[in-house]
């Protein structure tokens, strides 16, 4: 009998076990940590002159305490994600969560906290974790993936809305949302609210699977702006839909497809697609046949080298195709 170790408590388990006898963990599910990356250990400032203050800054040199969110990398079999603060932002307000249900399928969520709202990073992480829980529950149960996607976004929106402070509704936390689930038959279901995107890069070609919920995109759709004009319009990133307080609806747009050939699914925040907006740009930057973590790192590096003006989050999922 082949033995393995529980990822939660390291107790011995077998491939046939559904739960860990020692800690009760569901062994059919593997996912990224709830709440995002673990906290960094307390350390003295590199200047060597003192500890960080309560405000997170060194009282001697002013250097800010490093955050575990500055650079995050997660990997699971067949999928990986990288999230980077970028070169200009003080905080990383993007979040990602993904997981696999053994013998069933997988799910991914990327959320981008709206910088003009307070606790944007908390909103995006809560939305990602909440949505992933719903999606993985649906994957395990064999539920309708489009309905599960709608339920995931609705639950995430409700969770983020509860973060709002009654005395400051104008600062209510909010975020964008994009998710994907992939079944054993290769069916990919994508849902989104806001301007985080999903791309398919397959042997048969590359395609963008989402449309932005922004005022600029609306003006393009109604013929008031061209695609080129929209790229430089001041409303290019003004959201028309989002998750959180004040949102008119948390019902996502949803699409499903079965790629005919092998390839990769890429979910990302606008920190990537600002520099690689077209599917062909994503395809050209992806290392051919590279493992998901290497591919995600490469895409993030491209955005950083191009300026890194925003937080950058990329999750890459290998697809077998055959639809």
């Amino acid at each position: 009998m082949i033995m393995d170790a529980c990822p939660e408590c390291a107790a011995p388990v077998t491939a046939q076990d559904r739960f860990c006898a020692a800690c009760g963990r569901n062994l059919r599910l593997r996912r990224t940590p709830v709440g995002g990356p673990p906290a960094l250990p307390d350390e003295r400032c590199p200047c060597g002159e003192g500890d960080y203050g309560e405000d997170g800054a060194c009282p001697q040199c002013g250097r800010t305490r490093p955050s575990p969110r500055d650079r995050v990398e997660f990997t699971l079999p067949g999928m990986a994600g990288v999230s980077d603060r970028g070169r200009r932002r003080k905080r990383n307000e993007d979040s990602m969560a993904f997981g696999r249900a053994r013998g069933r399928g997988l799910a991914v969520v990327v959320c981008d906290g709206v910088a003009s709202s307070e606790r944007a990073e908390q909103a995006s992480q809560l939305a990602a974790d909440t949505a992933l829980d719903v999606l993985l529950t649906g994957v395990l149960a064999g539920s309708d993936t489009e309905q599960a996607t709608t339920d995931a976004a609705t639950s995430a929106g409700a969770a983020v809305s509860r973060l709002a402070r009654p005395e400051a509704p104008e600062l209510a936390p909010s975020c964008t949302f994009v998710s994907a689930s992939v079944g054993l038959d290769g069916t990919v279901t994508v849902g989104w609210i806001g301007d985080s995107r999903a791309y398919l890069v397959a042997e048969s070609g590359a395609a963008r699977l989402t449309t932005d919920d922004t005022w600029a995109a609306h003006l393009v759709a109604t013929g008031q702006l061209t695609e080129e004009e929209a790229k430089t319009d001041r409303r290019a990133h003004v959201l028309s839909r989002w998750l959180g307080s004040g949102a008119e609806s948390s019902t996502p747009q949803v699409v499903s497809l079965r790629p005919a050939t092998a390839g990769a699914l890429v979910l990302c925040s606008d920190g990537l697609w600002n520099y690689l907006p077209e599917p062909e740009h994503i395809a050209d930057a992806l290392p051919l046949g590279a493992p998901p973590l290497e591919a995600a790192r490469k895409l993030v590096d491209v955005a950083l080298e191009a300026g890194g003006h925003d937080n950058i989050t990329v999750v890459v999922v290998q697809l077998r195709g055959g639809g």
Side-chain angles (χ1 to χ4, degrees):
M1 181 179 296
I2 299 176
M3 301 296 291
D4 201 349
C6 171
E8 186 74 26
C9 69
V13 295
T14 71
Q16 288 72 41
D17 291 333
R18 298 176 64 185
F19 296 91
C20 174
C23 70
R25 176 178 174 133
N26 187 339
L27 298 174
R28 295 180 298 170
L29 293 178
R30 295 184 64 184
R31 59 153 296 163
T32 52
V34 175
L40 296 174
D42 288 334
E43 296 179 353
R44 292 175 62 85
C45 178
C47 75
E49 297 298 325
D51 296 327
Y52 295 106
E54 291 185 1
D55 62 354
C58 173
Q60 299 300 321
C61 71
R63 183 183 279 110
T64 302
R65 181 200 303 271
S67 166
R69 298 180 63 87
D70 288 348
R71 176 80 176 197
V72 184
E73 295 187 353
F74 293 133
T75 184
L76 289 173
M79 57 201 306
V82 177
S83 185
D84 194 285
R85 186 185 68 185
R87 302 193 186 281
R88 300 291 184 90
R89 301 289 188 177
K90 292 183 178 180
R91 294 181 299 275
N92 185 359
E93 295 171 335
D94 286 359
S95 295
M96 59 181 172
F98 52 88
R100 305 186 69 96
R102 189 170 68 193
R104 294 288 186 174
L106 60 87
V108 182
V109 184
V110 169
C111 296
D112 179 356
V114 176
S116 59
S117 66
E118 64 180 8
R119 291 175 291 156
E121 70 277 12
Q122 184 179 356
S124 66
Q125 188 66 61
L126 179 61
D129 285 333
T130 300
L132 182 65
D133 284 344
V134 175
L135 288 171
L136 286 178
T137 297
V139 169
L140 270 176
S143 303
D144 178 82
T145 54
E146 294 195 358
Q147 184 59 54
T149 299
T150 297
D151 293 343
T154 300
S155 296
V160 173
S161 293
R162 289 193 289 270
L163 294 176
R165 294 185 294 125
E167 69 275 16
E170 73 281 0
L171 298 176
S174 56
C175 64
T176 69
F177 168 90
V178 64
S179 73
S181 59
V182 183
L184 290 182
D185 66 351
T187 298
V188 177
T189 299
V190 174
W192 71 96
I193 296 175
D195 65 353
S196 294
R197 293 182 178 180
Y199 294 87
L200 174 66
V201 180
E203 294 173 357
S204 55
R208 179 174 149 194
L209 305 179
T210 56
T211 56
D212 298 337
D213 289 321
T214 62
W215 285 110
H218 170 73
L219 294 174
V220 170
T222 55
Q224 299 177 63
L225 285 179
T226 66
E227 289 279 0
E228 288 303 313
E229 290 170 337
K231 291 177 182 178
T232 57
D233 191 275
R234 60 183 176 81
R235 294 159 292 187
H237 292 281
V238 176
L239 297 176
S240 57
R241 301 183 69 233
W242 60 90
L243 289 184
S245 184
E248 293 184 1
S249 170
S250 294
T251 301
Q253 299 186 69
V254 181
V255 296
S256 293
L257 66 153
R258 290 186 66 187
T261 58
L265 181 66
V266 177
L267 272 66
C268 64
S269 63
D270 60 353
L272 176 70
W273 67 254
N274 279 334
Y275 302 106
L276 300 173
E278 302 302 328
E280 295 76 16
H281 299 158
I282 300 286
D284 289 343
L286 272 176
L288 187 63
L293 182 57
E294 180 182 335
R297 285 173 174 168
K298 174 61 177 177
L299 290 174
V300 170
D301 286 346
V302 169
L304 288 171
E305 291 166 5
H309 284 71
D310 202 351
N311 305 148
I312 310 153
T313 298
V314 179
V315 178
V316 177
V317 179
Q318 287 179 331
L319 298 176
R320 292 177 298 176

